[in-house]
Amino acid sequence: MASRRRFVQGMAGALAGAWLAPSLLAAEAEAGKGVRAVVDDFVKANGFHGVIHLVRKQRVVLSEAFGMADVEAGRHATVDTLYPLASISKWFVSVAILRLIEQGKLALDGSIGDYLPDYRADNGAKVKLKHLLSNCSGIPNGFTPVVKADPAIWTKSYTTSEAIKAFCSGDLAFEPGSRFSYDLTNWVLVKGIVEHVTGQEFAQAIDALVLTPLGLKHVLPRYTDEARAQVAVGYATIDPPVRKMNPQLVYMVASGGYCGTATDLVRAAEGVYGSSLLSEASRKTLSTILVPTESYALGGRVKTVQADGAARTFAWETGRTDGYRSLLAHRLDGQSTLVLLNNTDLSQKTIDLFAEAVFATQA
């Protein structure tokens, strides 16, 4: 109890008044009531819009939608609303890559040049697939300076090959593996590699390798008509409503272009870590930190937080794009999973502290 109280006091100080949850100090409250109190405090303090879904020991503890999915249309959020997953997309792609490795079509130590023979030879020989998947390739982000100079780039279509040539072919900014740089270009190249070795359009390959085997019917590329018709609107502010949404470009899909529901994210985590989709060796690879300074593994982070009275290891997948935030926190022993989907661009720090508080109440 004392350790929980110290955690809550430290959390409150870190937030500096942004989200103070005095109900967390009621350590004698039983776990279910404690979770409800944490959620209520968080929602009230942040004017939260979105979905919170918590599963513990294969039992749904809480699944609830708050606020609006589309303010102007008067469409309320529901637990089945589609939200952009942003960089959680990278985690799905990494799972697909591991399946291709198991099939003998790829290797983490394989180089770009092994799979994209038309790519520039010098970078292609030095940069390995594992560098791309851990954002340590050194390939600079050629998209950002171009779009700053010409915002019309957002309206232009590029094939994967054209995008690689235009944005992903600059001189290396650093030696591959020596630094972390969270760049779109890594994932445009991954998209090209998947398409080359499978002979399929990227979304078809991800469907066949991950989404269909796990029964994830509502995880969709955001650029599809089906997704656009259902996805929550992203906002910079709710009152007044100011939208914060960029066009969806197909060549960016591997980096952050999928959307989905909270229940499908829980199903995905349980399937990836608790079924036969991946071998035990591949699951271990997926959860092995490659960049200690960032707690980054393949396509996402691994984090240790307090839960059930001890330090527990979680796959801690986060996403941010436009006016959206997403979190998938799955305890690697399968005992709990928390999903948060938001369309008002909350800070990652606030979301992480909320998630840690939720898990702490389960002690």
Side-chain angles (χ1 to χ4, degrees):
M1 296 302 182
S3 63
R4 184 187 299 173
R5 187 172 291 108
R6 286 194 297 272
F7 165 77
V8 173
Q9 290 169 344
M11 180 184 68
L15 282 167
W19 171 46
L20 301 179
S23 60
L24 291 176
L25 298 175
E28 70 279 4
E30 50 99 5
K33 183 178 179 181
V35 168
R36 181 76 257 177
V38 171
V39 170
D40 288 347
D41 287 343
F42 171 77
V43 169
K44 181 179 179 180
N46 292 284
F48 179 73
H49 293 253
V51 175
I52 299 172
H53 188 98
L54 174 66
V55 176
R56 187 187 184 207
K57 296 180 179 178
Q58 299 184 335
R59 181 178 68 87
V60 176
V61 175
L62 182 142
S63 183
E64 193 166 345
F66 304 87
M68 307 299 293
D70 186 334
V71 175
E72 296 92 338
R75 176 163 62 104
H76 289 268
T78 74
V79 294
D80 296 320
T81 299
L82 291 180
Y83 288 84
L85 304 180
S87 286
I88 295 177
S89 305
K90 295 179 173 71
W91 175 75
F92 279 107
V93 175
S94 297
V95 173
I97 292 291
L98 288 169
R99 294 211 69 201
L100 290 170
I101 290 171
E102 290 180 358
Q103 294 172 11
K105 296 179 180 179
L106 290 173
L108 286 178
D109 283 323
S111 69
I112 297 175
D114 291 334
Y115 309 118
L116 298 179
D118 293 333
Y119 189 68
R120 59 180 288 179
D122 52 352
N123 290 1
K126 296 184 71 173
V127 178
K128 298 179 179 181
L129 181 58
K130 67 181 179 183
H131 296 142
L132 298 174
L133 297 174
S134 58
N135 298 298
C136 289
S137 69
I139 295 171
N141 181 359
F143 177 79
T144 298
V146 171
V147 79
K148 284 182 177 178
D150 180 13
I153 292 295
W154 281 111
T155 68
K156 297 180 180 179
S157 297
Y158 288 82
T159 66
T160 307
S161 296
E162 289 169 344
I164 288 172
K165 183 176 181 180
F167 310 125
C168 312
S169 299
D171 295 338
L172 292 179
F174 53 84
E175 190 68 18
S178 66
R179 283 171 45 191
F180 183 84
S181 186
Y182 204 65
D183 293 321
L184 162 71
T185 41
N186 294 307
W187 298 90
V188 178
L189 284 160
V190 169
K191 181 177 187 288
I193 289 170
V194 169
E195 291 176 338
H196 183 78
V197 301
T198 64
Q200 295 179 296
E201 192 273 333
F202 181 81
Q204 292 177 331
I206 300 302
D207 278 346
L209 291 163
V210 180
L211 305 185
T212 296
L214 293 180
L216 306 180
K217 298 179 181 179
H218 307 295
V219 176
L220 306 167
R222 282 181 64 195
Y223 58 75
T224 64
D225 291 340
E226 183 180 0
R228 282 196 294 263
Q230 299 179 61
V231 74
V233 175
Y235 293 96
T237 64
I238 292 291
D239 187 16
V242 177
R243 294 192 176 201
K244 186 178 180 182
M245 301 170 70
N246 281 320
Q248 292 307 298
L249 304 178
V250 176
Y251 59 86
M252 294 183 175
V253 66
S255 178
Y258 278 85
C259 60
T261 66
T263 51
D264 265 355
L265 282 182
V266 171
R267 186 176 295 113
E270 292 174 347
V272 167
Y273 295 105
S275 77
S276 60
L277 180 75
L278 293 177
S279 68
E280 183 178 352
S282 291
R283 290 195 299 271
K284 182 177 180 181
T285 298
L286 184 64
S287 304
T288 299
I289 293 174
L290 299 178
V291 190
T293 56
E294 298 290 332
S295 300
Y296 205 87
L298 297 178
R301 289 179 167 82
V302 175
K303 185 172 181 176
T304 300
V305 303
Q306 290 292 314
D308 290 339
R312 312 288 184 178
T313 305
F314 286 76
W316 202 269
E317 316 302 339
T318 64
R320 178 184 183 181
T321 183
D322 305 340
Y324 304 99
R325 281 287 191 178
S326 54
L327 170 70
L328 167 60
H330 177 76
R331 208 166 115 177
L332 292 183
D333 63 7
Q335 292 299 298
S336 54
T337 307
L338 174 67
V339 173
L340 182 149
L341 301 172
N342 165 253
N343 60 330
T344 60
D345 202 18
L346 286 178
S347 79
Q348 188 63 53
K349 181 178 180 180
T350 298
I351 292 171
D352 283 352
L353 288 169
F354 164 70
E356 291 172 19
V358 167
F359 291 125
T361 63
Q362 297 180 12

